[in-house]
Amino acid sequence: MGTRPRTPHDAFTGAGPLDRDPSLLPVALDQTEHDAQERRWTPAKIALWAGISLLGGLSWVMLAVVRGETVNAIWFVFAAVCTYLIGYRFYSNYIQKHLLKPDDRRATPAEYKADGKDFAATDRRVLFGHHFAAIAGAGPLVGPVLAAQDGLPARHALADRRRRVSPVRCRIYIVLFYSMRRGGRSLGQMARDELGKIGGTAALIATMAIMVIIVAILALVVVNALAASPWGVFSVGMTIPIALFMGCYLRFFRPGKVSEVSIIGFVLLLAAIIGGGAISNTAWGASFFHVDPVPLAIGIIIYGFVAAILPVWLLLAPRDYLSTFMKIGTIGMLAIAIIIVRPEITVPAFSEFVANGGPVVSGSLFPFLFVTIACGALSGFHALIASGTTPKLIEKERQTRFIGYGGMLMESFVAIMALVAAVSIDRGIYFAMNSSAALTGGTVEGAVAFVNSLGLTGVNLTPDMLTQTAKDVGEATIVSRSGGAPTLSVGLAHIMQQVAGGSGMMAFWYHFAILFEALFILTAVDAGTRVARFMLQDSLGNFFPKFKNTSWRTGAWLTTGIMVLLWGAVLIMGVTDPLGGINTLFPLFGIANQLLAAIALAVCMAIVAKQGKFKYIWIVAVPLAFAAIITIYASMLKIFSTVPAVGYFAQNKAFSDALAAGKTSFGTAPSVAAMEAVVRNTMVQGLLSILFVTLAIIVIVSSVVATWKSWKSRDFGTNEDPALPSQMFAPSGFLPTPAEKELQGRWEAQAAAEKNARTARNAGAGTPGR
């Protein structure tokens, strides 16, 4: 990153709002240089992309066409990576070139609104870490793991991924760009600006209400992963002081030394994992760091509040970068291990539960697969981050492609690895881990009896299989450890121990995975809380303008406290749910998340129409139609279905009738307290489902109306902030191009010369006689 010119008022010629004095260093490459680089096709480049395309095509054929009793896991890795590379190189470039048209001569909000707290120009690599860590929360872990109930992802779950690879995946990238152009406004506020009072108000209410559910589920996954795990509690807890140290190190001691602090952070992380294992084996450590679910939930609620009000550079950005460094390394390591080990997946193409649902997820494969796998491409939470923290931190407009689209691809790869891990372990162990305690009794014996009663083909679970697996991974039990993280950790440990360390290292690999999962889910919790605060401030700012100033500390503390109390209440409800919070709340999470994605697409469609870019409106209109139809249909089933296992109100009535009849147990509820919890939770979930789908329909209809008006009137305009000239330079991708590297070197040389000149002047001013 470059420094500001010493004479900013002389930096621009006045010939145009962004024309710069040619005697000064340029703040961006000329667009013709970017176009020339894209058009430059050498024989080696052609051969490279032809090879990637052929390998990707072969992998998809092996997964989706070739039938057999088993499929090798390496095809998951090859299919995913090749598809991502092609999508990033060609499709995201198409969107950037024709729809968004970024201009690095324009200052971003991080530059012209810089306050050192919420608006701060952040190195693109660190910001990629923050963005990826914030979006890659519980969704890519929980959804794919739960979806594994229905069978081999090669036949259906990856079909869900495939339909999302291009048009849908663009959405977070587009939301990020439009929010950045509008001063970092939240999604709800953008909807109010673009759709008017009715659609905008509906979007504001929907985004805030859905955010409460999403953050609560994210926190619940952390609770399920760390409860009663001294090793995990210590290791994850130590990441907080490590992140604070990294933030201060980059801010005060060694600014810009990202690689240096990354190495230090990685070493400290390994020390936290190893130290956690040693401490958990001591009597005092096992006692002190053994935390039950409710106290752990309260601790996470307090953490969410504190993390959301601290300056972004102190905890949020370095913690996200630290977790990303570990996440990408772990997922990459797992992918390499899969290629080496080449595990054969024996899960059937379609399980016994695809028609009516099973003990992990209720409902048929269609449409509930598309709301169970709630992340990886289509996710409303991603849109909230893309219109929350990230647009306030981005240095240059062209970086939105690398951060928005690239971060989404990496998050999807996490989901693919979670799928592979979930289906690589024994099916009996999978169902014992992911069925609620109400079904398994929470004991080894109860889990064995329940799983064997399901009549699964080729499954014969024994008590020794569960106790030995728990012993191997260093846990007291693995029964009813739902939430995705423990299942992924067992799968990862099972694969990694075949590459490094053998069975004696399974405990290390398991807790290594737990740390990396809990770490990046926590980053989503604190980033989500901060975004929720921005949303509430934007909403209140429509009535009390002072709230729009995010630097107003009183308003920031007040709105943060309100949002934390709301999602904290839902978290406590999930933690105390006797039927398993994840199993009962995740369908609501998935539907709410996808409805929010439809809302984001609707807002983007209205913006595209108001800009008059109807030739490219299909980029958002097609995925909007798909997301809206599928998710609204799933919502209607959850509201109106007469099957108690599917419909909220049907289940509410069944358990209410059982209580009225004087029964002390019913269905999966073994006690009156459990039955009452089902009645309470299903009523809350049913009412929220009605609220969410109603608001989403209002927003979508408002967007269609706004789009039609723009088409009929041809009265185009924009709500973007006025273009201000940038006074800094930064590369657009992870690695600078040769032209960017040359220009960056000139900026660094100028900065060094100015620093030397200042040093000389200061030395001269302090010389006697001067």
Side-chain angles (χ1 to χ4, degrees):
M1 184 179 75
T3 58
R4 297 174 182 270
R6 286 176 294 159
T7 54
H9 296 293
D10 297 328
F12 295 87
T13 65
L18 300 177
D19 292 329
R20 188 172 173 82
D21 186 335
S23 66
L24 299 174
L25 290 178
V27 296
L29 295 180
D30 189 87
Q31 182 60 40
T32 57
E33 294 187 60
H34 290 290
D35 293 340
Q37 183 180 355
E38 293 293 338
R39 290 194 298 265
R40 192 178 298 121
W41 283 90
T42 63
K45 193 175 181 180
I46 294 173
L48 173 65
W49 285 106
I52 292 173
S53 300
L54 289 172
L55 179 58
L58 174 62
S59 301
W60 279 113
V61 169
M62 295 300 297
L63 290 173
V65 177
V66 176
R67 300 284 172 165
E69 295 183 359
T70 64
V71 62
N72 198 291
I74 62 172
W75 298 117
F76 289 90
V77 177
F78 293 151
V81 171
C82 293
T83 303
Y84 298 154
L85 290 173
I86 293 170
Y88 184 83
R89 168 60 182 82
F90 297 100
Y91 188 70
S92 68
N93 185 57
Y94 178 87
I95 297 170
Q96 175 179 262
K97 183 177 180 180
H98 296 289
L99 182 63
L100 302 182
K101 298 183 178 180
D103 186 351
D104 277 352
R105 297 176 302 161
R106 292 178 60 143
T108 65
E111 185 177 356
Y112 67 80
K113 286 188 174 184
D115 61 7
K117 299 181 178 67
D118 298 314
F119 291 86
T122 304
D123 184 282
R124 67 197 183 283
R125 294 159 295 185
V126 175
L127 184 56
F128 178 89
H130 156 70
H131 184 77
F132 168 65
I135 66 173
L141 299 181
V142 181
V145 170
L146 298 184
Q149 166 193 267
D150 291 322
L152 188 63
R155 302 296 187 257
H156 54 271
L158 277 180
D160 184 43
R161 297 274 171 235
R162 181 167 52 188
R163 58 93 177 170
R164 302 174 183 200
V165 157
S166 23
V168 179
R169 194 177 304 285
C170 73
R171 187 245 323 124
I172 188 174
Y173 171 30
I174 295 175
V175 171
L176 173 60
F177 187 86
Y178 286 153
S179 176
M180 176 197 64
R181 279 281 179 93
R182 287 157 177 76
R185 286 175 225 167
S186 67
L187 178 63
Q189 187 60 41
M190 284 198 295
R192 185 175 175 85
D193 295 339
E194 305 296 337
L195 306 180
K197 287 187 177 180
I198 296 177
T201 301
L204 283 170
I205 296 172
T207 52
M208 285 191 293
I210 292 173
M211 177 59 95
V212 168
I213 298 298
I214 290 174
V215 178
I217 296 296
L218 294 174
L220 183 57
V221 174
V222 178
V223 172
N224 285 356
L226 298 182
S229 175
W231 192 337
V233 169
F234 173 84
S235 298
V236 173
M238 286 302 298
T239 64
I240 298 175
I242 292 173
L244 291 172
F245 166 76
M246 290 177 65
C248 293
Y249 192 91
L250 281 175
R251 183 79 170 186
F252 303 115
F253 305 118
R254 301 278 286 174
K257 301 298 182 181
V258 176
S259 300
E260 186 176 300
V261 80
S262 300
I263 296 172
I264 295 173
F266 180 70
V267 172
L268 292 176
L269 273 181
L270 289 180
I273 299 172
I274 297 170
I279 289 175
S280 66
N281 287 326
T282 65
W284 69 270
S287 174
F288 184 79
F289 292 103
H290 184 284
V291 185
D292 291 329
V294 173
L296 186 58
I298 294 173
I300 291 175
I301 291 171
I302 296 172
Y303 164 79
F305 176 80
V306 173
I309 62 175
L310 288 175
V312 70
W313 59 265
L314 180 59
L315 178 61
L316 186 64
R319 182 190 180 92
D320 289 355
Y321 182 72
L322 178 66
S323 63
T324 297
F325 189 77
M326 185 173 182
K327 272 184 279 186
I328 294 178
T330 301
I331 292 300
M333 178 180 66
L334 178 59
I336 293 172
I338 289 171
I339 295 174
I340 295 173
V341 176
R342 293 177 296 162
E344 290 289 331
I345 307 300
T346 60
V347 174
F350 294 97
S351 78
E352 299 83 349
F353 306 114
V354 295
N356 301 309
V360 180
V361 179
S362 300
S364 59
L365 183 68
F366 181 86
F368 290 108
L369 170 70
F370 299 93
V371 295
T372 300
I373 303 181
C375 286
L378 182 59
S379 170
F381 183 72
H382 302 166
L384 295 181
I385 298 298
S387 59
T389 53
T390 307
K392 298 175 177 65
L393 303 174
I394 199 161
E395 294 173 303
K396 307 295 284 185
E397 288 195 348
R398 293 184 69 89
Q399 292 177 355
T400 53
R401 179 190 179 197
F402 162 59
I403 293 169
Y405 199 94
M408 188 71 260
L409 295 177
M410 192 65 225
E411 194 256 9
S412 182
F413 194 52
V414 172
I416 295 295
M417 292 300 98
L419 281 168
V420 174
V423 297
S424 66
I425 64 176
D426 180 85
R427 289 188 78 203
I429 294 176
Y430 166 83
F431 280 100
M433 294 187 68
N434 290 282
S435 300
S436 70
L439 298 173
T440 65
T443 65
V444 170
E445 293 76 15
V448 169
F450 170 72
V451 171
N452 288 335
S453 71
L454 295 175
L456 302 173
T457 303
V459 171
N460 183 25
L461 187 64
T462 65
D464 184 63
M465 292 170 65
L466 293 177
T467 55
Q468 185 60 47
T469 301
K471 181 180 178 181
D472 289 341
V473 299
E475 291 290 333
T477 181
I478 59 169
V479 173
S480 297
R481 295 293 298 273
S482 58
T487 303
L488 173 57
S489 298
V490 169
L492 184 145
H494 173 70
I495 294 172
M496 289 305 303
Q497 60 91 14
Q498 299 179 61
V499 177
S503 59
M505 283 288 288
M506 278 194 69
F508 172 84
W509 288 120
Y510 175 87
H511 287 92
F512 181 88
I514 284 288
L515 173 64
F516 115 84
E517 292 163 33
L519 180 60
F520 76 74
I521 295 173
L522 272 180
T523 61
V525 170
D526 52 41
T529 303
R530 187 178 291 262
V531 172
R533 184 250 289 184
F534 292 148
M535 292 160 54
L536 184 55
Q537 284 186 276
D538 274 347
S539 301
L540 294 176
N542 293 311
F543 308 99
F544 309 100
K546 192 171 184 179
F547 275 98
K548 284 188 177 292
N549 179 11
T550 58
S551 298
W552 181 39
R553 292 295 92 190
T554 302
W557 283 52
L558 176 62
T559 49
T560 300
I562 292 172
M563 298 309 294
V564 168
L565 287 176
L566 290 174
W567 68 252
V570 178
L571 171 61
I572 296 298
M573 183 181 78
V575 168
T576 57
D577 184 355
L579 302 185
I582 286 293
N583 302 75
T584 55
L585 285 176
F586 199 80
L588 179 63
F589 164 84
I591 288 175
N593 197 30
Q594 308 303 67
L595 286 174
L596 188 54
I599 289 173
L601 287 164
V603 174
C604 290
M605 185 173 73
I607 293 174
V608 173
K610 287 188 176 183
Q611 292 176 335
K613 297 179 180 179
F614 292 99
K615 182 178 179 181
Y616 305 105
I617 201 168
W618 64 269
I619 293 174
V620 290
V622 171
L624 169 59
F626 186 92
I629 292 170
I630 294 294
T631 312
I632 291 173
Y633 175 49
S635 298
M636 294 303 175
L637 288 179
K638 296 300 290 185
I639 294 170
F640 296 109
S641 176
T642 57
V643 179
V646 176
Y648 289 128
F649 294 110
Q651 191 175 38
N652 179 277
K653 185 178 185 303
F655 278 79
S656 296
D657 291 345
L659 284 170
K663 295 183 179 180
T664 57
S665 64
F666 182 74
T668 56
S671 65
V672 171
M675 295 167 66
E676 292 173 343
V678 173
V679 171
R680 179 180 66 252
N681 293 346
T682 51
M683 178 58 68
V684 171
Q685 292 160 0
L687 293 176
L688 286 176
S689 290
I690 294 173
L691 174 67
F692 293 160
V693 74
T694 301
L695 293 173
I697 291 173
I698 292 173
V699 174
I700 293 169
V701 171
S702 298
S703 174
V704 172
V705 171
T707 301
W708 175 252
K709 286 182 178 179
S710 296
W711 170 263
K712 290 287 290 183
S713 67
R714 298 288 166 169
D715 182 17
F716 305 132
T718 180
N719 288 306
E720 293 179 356
D721 283 5
L724 297 175
S726 177
Q727 300 179 34
M728 60 188 294
F729 170 77
S732 57
F734 183 77
L735 297 175
T737 64
E740 288 176 333
K741 187 178 295 185
E742 188 273 335
L743 181 54
Q744 186 176 27
R746 293 166 62 191
W747 275 87
E748 291 173 350
Q750 175 180 284
E754 291 181 350
K755 181 179 179 181
N756 292 335
R758 285 194 299 269
T759 302
R761 286 196 301 270
N762 293 337
T767 301
R770 293 294 299 267

